[in-house]
Amino acid sequence: MKLTEKEIEIVELLEKHARLPIDTMAKMVSLSVSEVEDIIKKLEEAKVIVQYATIVDWRKVDGHEGVTAMIDVKVTPKRGVGFDEVAERIYRFPEVKSVYLMSGAYDLSVVIEGRSMSEIAHFVSEKLSTLDSVISTTTHFILKKYKHDGTVFEQGDQDRRIVVAP
């Protein structure tokens, strides 16, 4: 789908500030509120705008730290469907947040979230590694998130705190 310059401006604004009021956006792109609303509706219907998301710094929520892992996966592609079939089988697992086809030493990059390292290890050994097309996996645990989707996370006192048991 070819977008006009104004449509691209609106998409870029929404990508950075999804909660930006329509009237503010209209002023920024020199269009009326109804024109901006129509453009957004058109882009949502065409699935150019897929979803509005929120980035949460879970480190700031007690009891919700969780663990994120990036898993490099080597697979054997299937004749006629390539990597798509195995990627679909992987992204259907609820633990899986993202799946990417990669160039280089491995084929797929899988991002998953769990409550603990052992939960992720269980996912890799019992679910991911047992898929027919999967040849091997390498798991990398995220130790600290500095920036995500263009958003820099605060690096304040919380990152340096020492918890002393009572």
Side-chain angles (χ1 to χ4, degrees):
M1 168 179 219
K2 182 136 176 82
L3 299 182
T4 66
E5 189 176 314
K6 293 291 184 185
E7 290 169 337
I8 291 171
E9 282 183 68
I10 291 169
V11 169
E12 288 173 345
L13 285 171
L14 285 171
E15 187 176 39
K16 289 183 180 132
H17 310 286
R19 293 185 57 172
L20 191 65
I22 300 276
D23 60 331
T24 303
M25 196 178 319
K27 290 174 189 168
M28 293 172 79
V29 298
S30 303
L31 292 174
S32 70
V33 169
S34 63
E35 288 173 310
V36 171
E37 289 172 336
D38 290 344
I39 289 170
I40 291 171
K41 183 179 180 194
K42 174 183 128 182
L43 296 172
E44 289 171 343
E45 289 172 354
K47 300 292 184 207
V48 171
I49 298 173
V50 179
Q51 178 179 330
Y52 297 92
T54 301
I55 298 173
V56 178
D57 188 349
W58 286 106
R59 297 171 309 157
K60 295 182 177 184
V61 181
D62 292 340
H64 285 85
E65 291 82 17
V67 178
T68 303
M70 299 177 80
I71 306 167
D72 303 338
V73 185
K74 287 186 183 180
V75 301
T76 303
K78 299 249 177 160
R79 173 166 274 140
V81 292
F83 296 100
D84 294 346
E85 184 180 289
V86 70
E88 182 176 345
R89 290 181 71 194
I90 293 169
Y91 72 61
R92 290 192 180 279
F93 289 114
E95 301 91 337
V96 173
K97 299 303 172 197
S98 305
V99 178
Y100 304 98
L101 179 61
M102 306 297 289
S103 63
Y106 57 94
D107 303 306
L108 298 173
S109 179
V110 179
V111 178
I112 71 166
E113 292 179 357
R115 290 185 300 266
S116 65
M117 291 175 90
S118 61
E119 187 177 279
I120 289 176
H122 181 266
F123 170 82
V124 173
S125 64
E126 301 296 321
K127 295 180 180 179
L128 185 59
S129 295
T130 60
L131 294 175
D132 291 337
S133 298
V134 173
I135 299 168
S136 68
T137 64
T138 303
T139 303
H140 309 274
F141 288 98
I142 305 287
L143 301 177
K144 185 175 181 181
K145 191 182 294 187
Y146 294 97
K147 185 175 183 177
H148 180 80
D149 285 346
T151 300
V152 176
F153 285 71
E154 286 183 13
Q155 305 301 319
D157 292 338
Q158 177 173 342
D159 297 319
R160 293 185 286 274
R161 74 177 171 200
I162 298 172
V163 178
V164 179

